[in-house]
Amino acid sequence: LSSVLQGNGRVILIADDSGLQRLVLSRRLQRLGFTVVTATEGGDALERMAAQPPDAVITDMQMEPVGGLELCRRLKADPRLAHIPVIITSVSDPRSENAALAHDAGAADYAVRTADLEPVLVALSRALP
Amino acid sequence: MIRVLLVDDSPTTLTVLSRMLAQSGEVVVAGTARDGEEALRLVPELRPDVICTDLEMPGMDGYALIDTVMRTMPCPILVVSSYVQQDQTDNIFRALELGAIDVFPKPRGGITEAELTGGPELARKIRVLSGVVPLTRRTLADPLAATTDTDAGRTPPRIVGIGASVGGPQALRTILSGLPGPLTTPVLCVQHISGDFYRSLIDWLQPVCPMPIRIATDGETPMPGVVYLPRSDRHLLVDDGGRLASSLDPPVDGHRPSVSATFASAAQYYGAATLGVLLTGMGRDGADGLLAIARAGGTTVAQDEQTSVVFGMAREATRLGAAQHLLPVERIADLLARRAIVRRGR
């Protein structure tokens, strides 16, 4: 499914406190033709979105001070941003309670982070309009 | 405060280095010497935590000083020298064979510029070295569990990544010289180095290595049996077409090139056919990358504490559960030979 994913200049905001994860995911998305904006935690992400609303958000779950779940809740509570799909990711198993927490927070999807990024890209292709 | 002895025949360089360290707040210059003999007289008296020495000096030069200090009164030594090589035998990394631990580029340009750009990095290096116990190996306090070395069911590697920081050049030389022949995979080798010493490092490693060692070229498909090093101040990545890419992406875990960035990009493309080796070094770079390789189903190796100059990055990898094998440096070549040399049938 992700093999047909094309960015066509659409903007993805990546929120992750790991420099390595930001690097790996942003390079992959850029090669697919997306424009990438990065943030190191949820508060930072919301500030960047105010300046330029992205087409989708991919966020890590565990970040300080504002984590992925809280980022998603705040985004969904803001009428200007509520339409933006959010994909929450973590390295945990997809069947764990994290998936349920993500959906409760209003996320479009939950995806486990693997080395090949496939689950994240599949979730993104489903979530994008 | 960390007490350092500076050795250089140039009074200007001694002044520049002193001023670079004056701002650090953690390193104090205990004394200065103009050549090896003067330094040898001062060491027993000053008992410095770290010696920073030039190599080329009239009278007793830096090589002789390092050799004598390490045989008679071991002390962590940082070589501060220029990039310039007069010939193949005059290689800054030759000082490591005599017992020096790390190298740092001699400041060029004006004093102000050197203070601003090099001061914090020099102080950081000296701080790392001050915690190193040269020659005498620490005993393993709590042996960290290493999994048993079983080859069964493992995907044969199609790429090998090696990452190292402080103490890395020495460990790399041990591993590369211990290989019985060229590996049948490409090798991506990331060594943290101050300044642009990669060319010197290659010249020092190449005579003992059974494979050609090169600086990676952007866009090239990595070849089996070739060792690739990153360009200076660039990440060395495998892109999703399997080609090598030099990247100016932000530093990861404080480093560019970053071991983790290389490891994670290799794991992304090669998956379970990735073999990662994380060697001696301060900090945590490489640990997340080794974890990415392990999660992708690849093979992961970390250098053990007893043979590490600094057991930092490998300790972090072990803490994350990323290291399937914890090995003394002398045994890593054997594992690579077993896993990454495919003997073709006759």
Side-chain angles (χ1 to χ4, degrees):
Chain A
L1 185 54
S2 74
S3 59
V4 297
L5 183 61
Q6 289 201 339
N8 299 323
R10 284 178 291 183
V11 178
I12 308 295
L13 185 139
I14 298 171
D16 203 309
D17 55 359
S18 156
L20 178 62
Q21 297 300 339
R22 290 196 300 273
L23 182 149
V24 166
L25 186 54
S26 52
R27 282 188 67 88
R28 184 66 175 271
L29 292 174
Q30 281 162 357
R31 286 184 67 89
L32 291 168
F34 290 98
T35 300
V36 173
V37 179
T38 60
T40 56
E41 53 87 29
D44 183 20
L46 288 162
E47 277 177 32
R48 283 169 202 275
M49 272 185 259
Q52 182 186 25
D55 293 286
V57 173
I58 300 175
T59 178
D60 185 23
M61 187 170 274
Q62 317 291 344
M63 298 181 293
E64 295 291 335
V66 178
L69 294 171
E70 180 62 22
L71 163 61
C72 190
R73 281 186 212 106
R74 290 195 201 174
L75 179 144
K76 293 300 168 189
D78 185 334
R80 292 163 302 171
L81 303 174
H83 64 283
I84 299 169
V86 178
I87 294 155
I88 297 185
T89 70
S90 85
V91 292
S92 303
D93 190 276
R95 290 158 300 184
S96 74
E97 64 174 3
N98 285 349
L101 290 171
H103 287 109
D104 290 349
D109 210 341
Y110 169 87
V112 65
R113 283 293 267 271
T114 57
D116 66 5
L117 299 175
E118 204 60 16
V120 174
L121 298 178
V122 168
L124 181 64
S125 65
R126 283 194 190 123
L128 280 173
Chain B
M1 291 291 268
I2 299 160
R3 301 171 66 256
V4 62
L5 171 64
L6 303 179
V7 190
D8 200 299
D9 57 324
S10 154
T12 308
T13 301
L14 290 174
T15 305
V16 172
L17 292 173
S18 300
R19 289 185 56 170
M20 283 167 75
L21 294 170
Q23 305 293 324
S24 74
E26 56 180 344
V27 178
V28 61
V29 178
T32 62
R34 301 282 297 274
D35 61 30
E37 278 155 33
E38 190 182 357
L40 279 183
R41 282 198 301 276
L42 287 173
V43 171
E45 177 190 328
L46 296 175
R47 296 241 153 241
D49 298 306
V50 176
I51 299 171
C52 296
T53 183
D54 189 16
L55 291 176
E56 299 300 323
M57 291 179 289
M60 183 188 253
D61 67 9
Y63 297 107
L65 171 66
I66 294 163
D67 186 42
T68 309
V69 166
M70 295 312 291
R71 278 190 291 107
T72 59
M73 41 195 160
C75 173
I77 298 175
L78 178 66
V79 174
V80 180
S81 186
S82 50
Y83 305 132
V84 184
Q85 276 176 254
Q86 279 80 33
D87 59 70
Q88 286 291 325
T89 58
D90 177 28
N91 188 305
I92 190 168
F93 287 94
R94 199 158 62 80
L96 303 187
E97 293 172 53
L98 298 169
I101 293 171
D102 205 352
V103 297
F104 191 83
K106 185 178 275 197
R108 293 182 293 188
I111 289 176
T112 315
E113 186 192 334
E115 277 178 50
L116 284 174
T117 57
E121 171 72 1
L122 179 60
R124 192 186 66 77
K125 284 248 158 165
I126 291 172
R127 171 159 39 80
V128 171
L129 261 64
S130 71
V132 169
V133 181
L135 289 187
T136 53
R137 294 293 180 197
R138 292 146 291 169
T139 48
L140 208 56
D142 53 321
L144 296 156
T147 56
T148 48
D149 189 4
T150 52
D151 294 4
R154 286 264 164 213
T155 309
R158 291 171 53 218
I159 188 101
V160 169
I162 304 179
S165 189
V166 178
Q170 300 92 319
L172 282 173
R173 197 168 150 104
T174 302
I175 293 168
L176 296 175
S177 66
L179 294 172
L183 301 184
T184 45
T185 68
V187 179
L188 308 182
C189 185
V190 177
Q191 164 71 48
H192 298 157
I193 285 186
S194 300
D196 195 3
F197 282 125
Y198 283 107
R199 183 48 60 188
S200 291
L201 180 64
I202 291 175
D203 289 343
W204 181 65
L205 292 173
Q206 187 64 80
V208 301
C209 177
M211 293 176 277
I213 309 174
R214 294 187 203 151
I215 306 279
T217 310
D218 235 19
E220 109 181 85
T221 301
M223 306 258 298
V226 177
V227 180
Y228 296 92
L229 265 61
R231 288 171 62 192
S232 182
D233 196 31
R234 302 283 198 284
H235 294 301
L236 171 57
L237 306 177
V238 179
D239 70 24
D240 50 358
R243 284 177 293 274
L244 300 178
S246 289
S247 129
L248 276 165
D249 281 297
V252 171
D253 289 328
H255 292 281
R256 190 174 65 199
S258 150
V259 178
S260 275
T262 301
F263 282 5
S265 72
Q268 196 179 334
Y269 183 76
Y270 289 96
T274 312
L275 191 160
V277 181
L278 187 58
L279 302 175
T280 170
M282 188 79 176
R284 69 180 316 281
D285 184 30
D288 290 340
L290 204 68
L291 185 62
I293 294 174
R295 286 216 175 104
T299 303
T300 58
V301 181
Q303 183 180 353
D304 72 0
E305 177 166 15
Q306 276 159 312
T307 64
S308 290
V309 172
V310 179
F311 190 57
M313 304 180 335
R315 179 193 295 279
E316 182 66 15
T318 309
R319 199 184 63 76
L320 295 175
Q324 296 155 356
H325 307 273
L326 195 62
L327 294 178
V329 68
E330 299 83 9
R331 283 185 51 204
I332 294 174
D334 291 344
L335 182 138
L336 290 176
R338 207 166 59 241
R339 298 291 176 83
I341 298 181
V342 177
R343 287 175 185 80
R344 289 180 175 82
R346 266 166 274 178

